[in-house]
Amino acid sequence: MNPVPAACDILLKLAAIPVNRHAPYDVCVIAPTMIHGGEVRNVIPDDARIEGGFRFFKYGDNGKIADTIRQIAENTARAYGAEAQVEVPDRYTPPVVNDAGSVAFARQTLRTDPEAAELGKEQA
């Protein structure tokens, strides 16, 4: 059994999670950034590996996304007669949720202070 087609199918399905499997207003990003299988072009490898990461902007989504990744990888691999092992780090960067008062203050400052509205433009 060649694991490369299974890995390619898994990768494509993982990349589609934000559109097909996640709530449309709960933004997430799935980034499969590396796929590796084999060492030479004419030998079927024993295994294939996908690596990458994901980001989310709502507390609690990390577990949901990790479960979806695991489910897709395991079920897709099974359809190819293979097995998938998903490793998700225990530690992650939590989403940034800005304090509503601070956001309101920043918006008001930008509306009323022309100099504040120019901050950072020279670096863009």
Side-chain angles (χ1 to χ4, degrees):
M1 195 282 307
N2 186 344
V4 175
C8 291
D9 196 8
I10 290 168
L11 186 143
L12 291 173
K13 287 179 170 129
L14 294 180
I17 288 173
V19 173
N20 296 330
R21 301 283 301 267
H22 199 69
Y25 297 109
D26 296 338
V27 178
C28 77
V29 176
I30 309 293
T33 56
M34 187 182 88
I35 184 168
H36 180 79
E39 299 295 327
V40 294
R41 65 179 176 82
N42 63 342
V43 176
I44 294 173
D46 292 329
D47 58 21
R49 183 177 185 90
I50 301 168
E51 292 189 39
F54 63 89
R55 295 187 308 276
F56 52 93
F57 300 97
K58 181 180 172 190
Y59 283 102
D61 275 0
N62 60 311
K64 292 178 193 176
I65 296 168
D67 289 344
T68 301
I69 290 170
R70 195 171 282 109
Q71 179 187 40
I72 288 172
E74 290 172 356
N75 291 335
T76 303
R78 193 174 302 117
Y80 282 86
E83 293 180 14
Q85 297 175 357
V86 177
E87 298 173 13
V88 177
D90 293 335
R91 297 179 59 160
Y92 62 92
T93 303
V96 174
V97 179
N98 292 318
D99 172 68
S102 297
V103 171
F105 174 77
R107 284 186 177 147
Q108 183 61 31
T109 301
L110 291 173
R111 280 190 205 108
T112 59
D113 185 350
E115 289 183 24
E118 296 296 316
L119 291 174
K121 283 191 177 179
E122 66 275 358
Q123 296 173 351

